Structure formats: structure tokens, C-alpha cells
Amino acid sequence: MLHVLSHMPEAETAVVSDMDPPYRYKRLFKRFVLLTLVCSVVPLLLVGWIISNRYQRSAETRVMAAFRNEMQHHRKVIELFLKDHRSKLELMAQSNGRQDFLQPGRLRSLFDLFNQDRLTLTDLGVIDADGNHLAYVGPYDLLDKNYAETHWFKMVMEKGLYISDMFMGFRREPHFIIAVKGHDAIGPWILRATVDTEGFRALVENVMIGRTGEIFLVNREGVYQTTSRYSGRIMENASMTVGPVHPGIQVRQEASDAGFNGEQSVRQIVSTAWLETPQWMLVVRQDYAEAFAAENRANLSVLVFLLISAATILGVTILVTRHMLELVKRREVQAETLNRQLMQASKMASIGELSVGVAHEINNPLAIISTEREILIDASQKANGMDPSFSTQLDNAMHQIDVQIQRCK
């Protein structure tokens, strides 16, 4: 037998080894765990990924809409501020002539009336067509200054109404003016108001959007009209590209040039909108990670839940599979023991049948021998003249035959 097995082909030997119980149980374990992963864990992770992806897109839409609303609100606030100041100056220019402003205390009363709710104007002046001050109210000594060659003076004389960009001027500090042109019999004149820079900056800059959010204004040349929270100061060149004037509100994602507080560049959400007058671009931007912090936490929670669920399913599957295989092993051991017992009983039954047959085959000749012995005894008893010595030997032989017959039985 060993000689035959030693000469079996390798394939047949492999087949025999594949049927070994330890290998079979190991293979069943792997197949059952793999089947569970394919049928439960994989669909769970796939559904989780689909839900997370849809939620991420929905969250991105909500955040972008929130940025758009934030931009719309701040643009309205700034435009209403500028429109209110412009309307008040136009009303003053239309309600008063040049001579009215020259009356003692008249310009001061109008200036105080303008600032009665809050200080929004730094000074107020009346300028003739040659650029000279006719009247002035404010903290600076500007009565002897001539504005004929300044850009804002030329623009007011040309357009009738002008809101300037931030500039230094004679006072050597950033400010911007709102000026309207009036007419009388003598000729054109200008009512010029300087908007309080700190008050206007507070209107824009003091709006806080999280840790990394900022709001600022830049003009078409890319010069800051208010100080950025992280990127630059007023009247410095902006680090971002301004681009052409666009209608409405734009919201986009981009990488910052310098990052926040001098940190490395980060991904940002940037919202831009242009004011009508003056043409300043309002910018609202925030770190992408901070803007999506709540959504990212929700996604992380979903991811952790999915991983815990998958790990739980896998762990339970492994435990249940091992328990089932242990039960199968026990049942197989019990079945094998029972098979051995059945085989032993079958052997014993076969031996019993064989014994019965053998006993039957032996008892038949013994019965014949016993019968013939009785015949011989009867014949010897009827015979006359038998030698006593022979008779004795015959009796002993018959007795010995009987003893051996009983022994065989």
C-alpha cells in the first residue's frame, strides 16, 4: 500500500491533502467570512459612501448659499450707507445756494445735523469752480488749499457727483470723499464731504466670520479700500487678482496667496460682488476647512459609524463562523464515533451469523456421530460371545466419543 501511494501522481496527492479536515475547515472559514464581507460589509460601505457624497454636495450648496446671502447683506449695508450720504449731500446742495453756505454758522449747523445720529463725516466744505475753499467745517486747516488739479475735483466738475477711492490728500492719511456739484448765477460750485474713515472701516471690517473669515474692499486697481484681516492694510496692493467687473455675486473656491496670519497657503471659499458707485469690489472669504467644519464633523461621525458597523459585522461573523465550525467538528466527531460503533456492531453481527453457521455445520455431524454411537452400543449389547476385554475397550471408546461430542457441542 505504501509502495502504491509513493508512486501516486502529485495531483492525486494534492487532492487527498485537500480533503484533510483542518484544511477543509480553514477553507470553509475563509469562504464564509468572505461571503459575509461581500454580502453585508461592502454594501454597507457603498451605501455609506453614497450618502456621504450626497451630503457633502448638499452641504457645499448650503455653505455657498450662506456665503451668497452674507455677501448680499453686507453689500446692501455698504451701498445703503453710501447712498444715504450721497442723498443727504444732494439734498443739501439742492436746498441751499452758495450764499446760504457762506452765512455764519450755516455750514456748521448742517454738519452737526448730518452727524446727529452718529459721527459719519469728518469735515464738510464748499469749493468754488477754481478749486478754492469758500467755507469749511472740520478739524483740519484746509481753507487755503486749492483742489483744481486733484483728480476728484476734475471728476466732480465733469460728472456732477463723485465718490472717490481712498487717497492721502493734504491731510496725509487715508480717506475718501463724496462731492456734488451745484449751480448758481455765479457758476458751478462743489459741496464736498469727507467720510469718517474709521467709522466706514468699522462698518466693513468689524464683521467677524469665524476664526479665519474676513471682509474687505478693493478698487479696480487692486488697492485695499479697507484693511484686510489677514492679507494687507488699507491703500496697499491686494495679493489677490481683482479681475474684471462682473454682475451679481460670485462664489468660488481657490487657494490663498499667503494664508491666514502668514501661514502656508490654504483652500478658501471666496465671494465677490461689485458696488455700483464707487466701483469697489466687496470680498468675503473664509478658510474652507472652517466653513465646512460642521459638515466635516458630521461626515467623520458617519465614517466612524460605518467603520464601527463594518468591524462589528466582521467580528460577529468571525465569532459565529468559528462557533458553527466547532459545532460541525463536534457533529462530525460524534458521527465518526457512531460510524465506528455501527461498524463494530456490524462486525459483531457478522461474527454472530458466522458463528451460528459454523455451529450448525458442526452440530449436524456430531448428531450423526452420536446416533451411530448409540447404534454401536445397541449392537454390542445384543452380540453374544464377545471377548470381555474387547467389550471393555469398546465401552471405553464409546464413552470417550460421547465426551468429545459433548465437548464439541
Side-chain angles (χ1 to χ4, degrees):
M1 182 64 180
L2 294 175
H3 177 73
V4 173
L5 287 175
S6 64
H7 288 81
M8 287 179 65
E10 294 182 359
E12 295 181 5
T13 305
V15 171
V16 173
S17 63
D18 287 349
M19 297 305 294
D20 293 341
Y23 177 81
R24 187 173 71 255
Y25 293 142
K26 187 176 181 180
R27 185 173 59 182
L28 287 174
F29 177 81
K30 289 181 178 179
R31 287 183 177 180
F32 194 85
V33 171
L34 180 61
L35 182 63
T36 303
L37 289 176
V38 172
C39 295
S40 60
V41 177
V42 173
L44 175 67
L45 295 178
L46 181 61
V47 170
W49 178 80
I50 293 174
I51 293 175
S52 177
N53 189 38
R54 289 183 177 274
Y55 177 78
Q56 182 67 25
R57 285 187 290 180
S58 175
E60 184 172 344
T61 301
R62 290 197 305 271
V63 171
M64 294 300 182
F67 256 77
R68 191 177 298 275
N69 294 335
E70 189 80 16
M71 169 62 75
Q72 182 68 23
H73 170 71
H74 291 301
R75 184 174 69 170
K76 282 185 177 180
V77 169
I78 297 171
E79 287 182 338
L80 285 174
F81 176 88
L82 296 173
K83 184 178 180 181
D84 179 64
H85 284 59
R86 182 183 62 193
S87 300
K88 287 181 179 179
L89 286 177
E90 288 178 333
L91 180 61
M92 285 183 184
Q94 293 172 3
S95 302
N96 299 272
R98 182 191 317 213
Q99 298 301 321
D100 296 327
F101 289 114
L102 298 180
Q103 294 177 9
R106 178 62 175 173
L107 191 61
R108 166 61 68 176
S109 63
L110 292 175
F111 178 77
D112 293 338
L113 180 63
F114 202 107
N115 289 331
Q116 67 178 354
D117 294 329
R118 59 176 178 172
L119 180 64
T120 56
L121 295 184
T122 302
D123 57 24
L124 188 63
V126 179
I127 302 170
D128 63 18
D130 296 325
N132 298 310
H133 261 119
L134 299 176
Y136 173 78
V137 175
Y140 300 97
D141 185 13
L142 301 177
L143 276 174
D144 60 340
K145 304 299 182 182
N146 184 274
Y147 298 99
E149 298 302 322
T150 60
H151 175 72
W152 68 263
F153 181 84
K154 296 176 181 179
M155 295 302 296
V156 176
M157 296 301 291
E158 177 184 345
K159 297 182 177 181
L161 170 67
Y162 182 68
I163 302 177
S164 71
D165 290 340
M166 288 286 180
F167 67 101
M168 301 298 286
F170 293 116
R171 65 193 70 188
R172 309 311 301 167
E173 63 180 39
H175 65 284
F176 76 101
I177 60 98
I178 302 176
V180 295
K181 183 172 69 172
H183 292 272
D184 58 14
I186 301 174
W189 52 275
I190 296 174
L191 180 61
R192 173 188 184 271
T194 303
V195 178
D196 180 65
T197 304
E198 294 303 320
F200 179 73
R201 287 179 56 188
L203 181 69
V204 179
E205 299 172 16
N206 288 352
V207 179
M208 304 297 291
I209 304 177
R211 182 183 66 86
T212 59
E214 59 178 350
I215 301 177
F216 56 88
L217 290 164
V218 293
N219 62 10
R220 297 190 63 177
E221 287 73 34
V223 178
Y224 285 115
Q225 301 301 294
T226 58
T227 297
S228 168
R229 187 177 178 185
Y230 297 108
S231 306
R233 302 188 62 80
I234 189 170
M235 294 194 68
E236 292 180 352
N237 290 325
S239 57
M240 66 181 296
T241 302
V242 174
V245 177
H246 60 77
I249 299 172
Q250 290 186 357
V251 182
R252 62 186 182 276
Q253 299 178 24
E254 63 180 30
S256 67
D257 296 328
F260 299 108
N261 288 330
E263 301 171 2
Q264 62 181 356
S265 297
V266 294
R267 190 179 178 191
Q268 294 178 308
I269 299 179
V270 180
S271 178
T272 58
W274 287 89
L275 307 181
E276 294 182 3
T277 304
Q279 279 197 332
W280 292 343
M281 185 174 73
L282 179 62
V283 180
V284 179
R285 62 185 184 183
Q286 187 180 17
D287 182 5
Y288 182 91
E290 184 183 26
F292 283 88
E295 287 74 15
N296 290 338
R297 285 194 296 270
N299 268 341
L300 181 61
S301 300
V302 172
L303 178 61
V304 171
F305 172 76
L306 290 176
L307 292 179
I308 292 176
S309 300
T312 302
I313 292 174
L314 182 59
V316 172
T317 300
I318 292 175
L319 293 176
V320 171
T321 303
R322 286 179 177 175
H323 179 68
M324 291 177 63
L325 290 180
E326 287 295 329
L327 292 178
V328 172
K329 288 180 183 179
R330 293 178 187 176
R331 296 295 183 270
E332 287 190 352
V333 170
Q334 293 175 358
E336 186 177 355
T337 302
L338 182 60
N339 286 335
R340 288 200 198 100
Q341 293 175 351
L342 290 175
M343 290 179 64
Q344 188 67 21
S346 177
K347 290 178 181 179
M348 296 302 294
S350 298
I351 292 173
E353 291 178 0
L354 178 61
S355 299
V356 171
V358 170
H360 179 72
E361 293 298 326
I362 291 176
N363 282 329
N364 285 337
L366 290 178
I368 294 172
I369 294 172
S370 179
T371 301
E372 294 299 327
R373 172 182 168 278
E374 294 293 334
I375 293 173
L376 289 175
I377 292 174
D378 290 340
S380 66
Q381 291 176 353
K382 293 179 180 181
N384 296 318
M386 185 177 295
D387 183 46
S389 162
F390 176 75
S391 177
T392 302
Q393 291 179 357
L394 182 60
D395 290 339
N396 291 334
M398 293 298 107
H399 176 72
Q400 188 64 35
I401 290 173
D402 183 60
V403 171
Q404 298 301 323
I405 289 173
Q406 296 302 322
R407 184 180 178 184
C408 286
K409 288 184 179 181

